[in-house]
Amino acid sequence: MFLLRLSRREFLQSVSSAATIAALPAGLFSACSVSSKAAGPPSSAAAFTNAPARQVAASSEIPFPNNFFWGTATASYQIEGAWNEDGKGESIWDRFAHAPGKIKNRDTGDIACDSFHRWREDIALMRAMNLNSYRFSISWPRIQPSGSGPANAKGIDYYSRLVDALLEARIRPFVTLYHWDLPQALEDAGGWPHRDTADRFADYVQLVAGALGDRVSDWMLFNEPSAFTDLGYLEGTHAPGRQSLLDFLRATHTVNLAQGAGFRALKAARPLARVGTAFNMSACEPASNSEEDKLAAERAHAITNVWFLEPGLKGRYPQAFTFLPETTMGIKAGDMEKVRAPLDFIGINLYYRTIASAPRAMERLAHAQQWLFPVKMVGGEQGPRTDIGWEVWPQALYDVVMRISRDYNRPVIEITESGCAYNDVPEAKGVIADGRRIGYHRQYLAAVARAIADGADVRGYHAWSLIDNFEWAEGFSQRFGLAYVDFKTQKRTIKESGRWYAKVAAQSALAAERVGSGL
Ligand code: FCB
């Protein structure tokens, strides 16, 4: 989504101001109330051991903690297909992908990886990779076809079977409740900018917690709230394709209300559940040492990384804008209590870094809206690029994990996504030699290990993705998988990176091997 996020940056660049910029108060991101270590039973990684007894790491290895979760991540719309089977309702992604011109090559998720029928094969891949955690998402319109009312039993059955089979395979089911496929009926009723959607979300969470919460104990309420509100309501490059500053601002507030309401609904149904959100984060670096650029980088951090974390943990919005547009966002009296969600862990999705700078006064004057968010954001350009164009910059993961650890009193962290698009295809003998992907994960994992050694409490790493899949507006043009999917036959083949990851997971350590050297 780099292109998309670039265009996001372009919008944000277009927000300018001639107004004086107030300095951020010192300590804005200091200690907080995250209750991660207090709530819920102790980490249950030991129950999900697929690796042989942990070997003592040789001195040349980079070891990970005992009981580290080695996982992969996927999302319902990106892998399931079966878009109208077994009573599933239409989602905003079904509608968006069916409209002409929205997705590269006119691809859709109608079939995707057909995981709705082939989930057993997916679990077999995870077993072959020695994994002990699987982050997947639940399709809301499979559970509530029109976004409200009782659960569709066939939808529940699908996930119930999946959860049972994962537990059987000693793989932790790590469940995301919302990874972007809103029931279309709720979009028709106003979508995320409409406050009532928060209550609908809490009802849905309650249904799922009731049905699966006896076996699932680790949940994420949302995937990347700042990405889907931005891309879906401001830029319009993702479903539902709206382009409105007002809708975007309102959507962010409704999602914060939904995070609070969903958290309470889940805890009410399952008091011992561990509940977090997977936030998209990026290391936001100032383009220069000037005070203006440093302030711009703080604003970038506020909107990208903590716009949905700060309300949850501290009951307030961080200072991203020159002022908080409360009325425009639809903030009502009492809302800042309702948005509170003392998350048990913080999920971090991180792919790259962001370089932030302050627009010049003339630039700000050029666009009426720029006074609200006087920041220009671009991707870094020093590191190598993946096939989708994102810069490889492992230090970004270290920096963000350390900052979140510092600012939020050493919370439990899960790396809920990191990965790379490299479009390697099978060679003559069917081998998929994706050494660059091995290099990527090796470096990002080394950054995680360094953060742990420096005091961060990171419990797991989930490579995006288990299998090549439908990459949103990019369609099937970008392959992120540790296993290759032939989309004509749906045949899955573990890539060299998947074989390498299997070894890392089995040993719970990174061997000191040459980057890109394969096994
Ligand atoms: C993340 C999304 C995920 C996938 C990866 C490449 O932002 O959460 O669904 O598209 O990017």
Side-chain angles (χ1 to χ4, degrees), residues 73-151:
T74 62
S76 47
Y77 187 73
Q78 294 180 276
I79 67 160
E80 284 179 4
W83 75 282
N84 59 358
E85 280 182 46
D86 280 356
K88 177 182 164 295
E90 188 188 19
S91 81
I92 55 173
W93 270 95
D94 295 315
R95 177 73 60 93
F96 190 72
H98 291 158
K102 304 291 187 192
I103 314 290
K104 202 176 263 183
N105 304 321
R106 309 193 69 150
D107 290 338
T108 73
D110 289 1
I111 299 172
C113 309
D114 196 29
S115 287
F116 188 71
H117 301 111
R118 294 171 192 264
W119 52 274
R120 287 182 192 82
E121 292 172 46
D122 296 343
I123 292 179
L125 294 172
M126 289 181 254
R127 291 185 82 138
M129 292 184 205
N130 301 316
L131 303 183
N132 61 359
S133 181
Y134 180 39
R135 177 172 175 240
F136 63 95
S137 81
I138 293 189
S139 160
W140 185 348
R142 238 183 242 299
I143 306 300
Q144 289 182 302
S146 58
S148 59

Side-chain angles (χ1 to χ4, degrees), residues 57 66 124 132 138-139 147 152 162 165 256 266 274 286 349 352 367 371 390 429 456 460:
N66 285 330
N132 61 359
I138 293 189
S139 160
N152 166 33
L162 179 64
N256 269 313
L266 194 30
R274 287 177 290 267
N349 293 1
Y352 51 73
H367 300 278
W371 53 269
W390 301 353
K429 285 187 182 153

Side-chain angles (χ1 to χ4, degrees), residues 1 5 74-75 78 135 179-180 223-224 227 238 280 349 351 388 390 417 419 464 469-472 480:
M1 290 187 308
R5 289 179 189 176
T74 62
Q78 294 180 276
R135 177 172 175 240
H179 199 129
W180 304 0
N223 178 69
E224 299 197 349
H238 276 196
N280 51 299
N349 293 1
Y351 292 82
I388 199 171
W390 301 353
E417 282 181 31
W464 183 272
N469 59 46
F470 177 86
E471 177 49 32
W472 308 115
F480 279 87

